[in-house]
Amino acid sequence: MKKIGIFYGSDSGNTQTICEKIADKLGKENVELIDVAKASKDQLLGFDNLILASSTYGSGDLQTDWEDFIGSLDESDFAGKTIALVGLGDQDTYSDTFCDALYHLYEKAKGGKLIGQTSTDGYSFDDSKAVDGGKFVGLAIDEDNQDDLTEGRIDAWVNDIQSKFA
């Protein structure tokens, strides 16, 4: 398996912590963790396998560093790449925009081969742009209200995506 670039944006540290857990489960030798606040487009283009992770801010926005970074990317930059997405959100406080950051990443990355869609079962929210065909377009995590489910969700997701990376 080629190395996986995990690009994340994190203000509170939750997204970084989740990405570190994912990296541990994938095997740190197979992964490079990169904070998008310090990333370049060339770094992202250097990976065939990507995990893009962002928390959702305000009314469904990407994390601030992602807002700045994503503008430098085109859908075509993801052609030929295998991509998995991770989104963090708060399904109680932001029930109408739960994990919408996943949608914003998806819209940019859909030029590649997307893997890692997950079930909406076990979540309680009113609406999310990140749901397509009854599933989240990536891994949805709620550290505010369901942190007790995070480990199991990460384990199941990593088991699903691991063999799909080239």
Side-chain angles (χ1 to χ4, degrees):
M1 175 172 62
K2 293 179 185 171
K3 207 164 199 149
I4 301 166
I6 301 179
F7 288 77
Y8 68 90
S10 192
D11 285 337
S12 69
N14 281 348
T15 306
Q16 180 178 351
T17 300
I18 296 300
C19 289
E20 289 168 353
K21 289 179 181 185
I22 291 168
D24 284 344
K25 293 184 187 307
L26 287 168
K28 287 189 176 181
E29 67 282 357
N30 298 321
V31 174
E32 189 173 338
L33 278 168
I34 301 157
D35 184 342
V36 294
K38 302 170 188 147
S40 71
K41 179 176 179 173
D42 285 341
Q43 271 183 301
L44 185 133
L45 294 175
F47 290 93
D48 291 329
N49 296 319
L50 293 166
I51 295 175
L52 310 179
S54 176
S55 48
T56 304
Y57 276 88
S59 296
D61 297 323
L62 274 170
Q63 186 267 347
T64 312
D65 298 323
W66 263 113
E67 285 282 353
D68 297 337
F69 186 65
I70 206 161
S72 70
L73 303 173
D74 296 311
E75 193 177 318
S76 62
D77 291 333
F78 296 95
K81 298 186 183 304
T82 301
I83 306 126
L85 306 175
V86 178
L88 276 73
D90 177 340
Q91 61 193 318
D92 287 354
T93 307
Y94 298 100
S95 185
D96 291 339
T97 58
F98 179 60
C99 282
D100 276 3
L102 274 172
Y103 166 80
H104 298 295
L105 295 173
Y106 171 80
E107 281 297 300
K108 209 45 110 150
K110 66 184 179 185
K113 176 186 171 193
L114 285 156
I115 61 171
Q117 295 78 8
T118 58
S119 173
T120 58
D121 293 348
Y123 297 88
S124 179
F125 61 95
D126 292 325
D127 196 22
S128 176
K129 290 180 181 176
V131 175
D132 184 29
K135 289 188 166 195
F136 288 112
V137 295
L139 174 63
I141 297 288
D142 185 343
E143 281 292 273
D144 296 315
N145 305 294
Q146 293 183 329
D147 59 323
D148 57 320
L149 301 176
T150 297
E151 282 299 323
R153 287 175 173 161
I154 290 172
D155 286 344
W157 187 73
V158 167
N159 287 338
D160 175 53
I161 66 168
Q162 201 158 18
S163 65
K164 296 176 182 172
F165 281 119

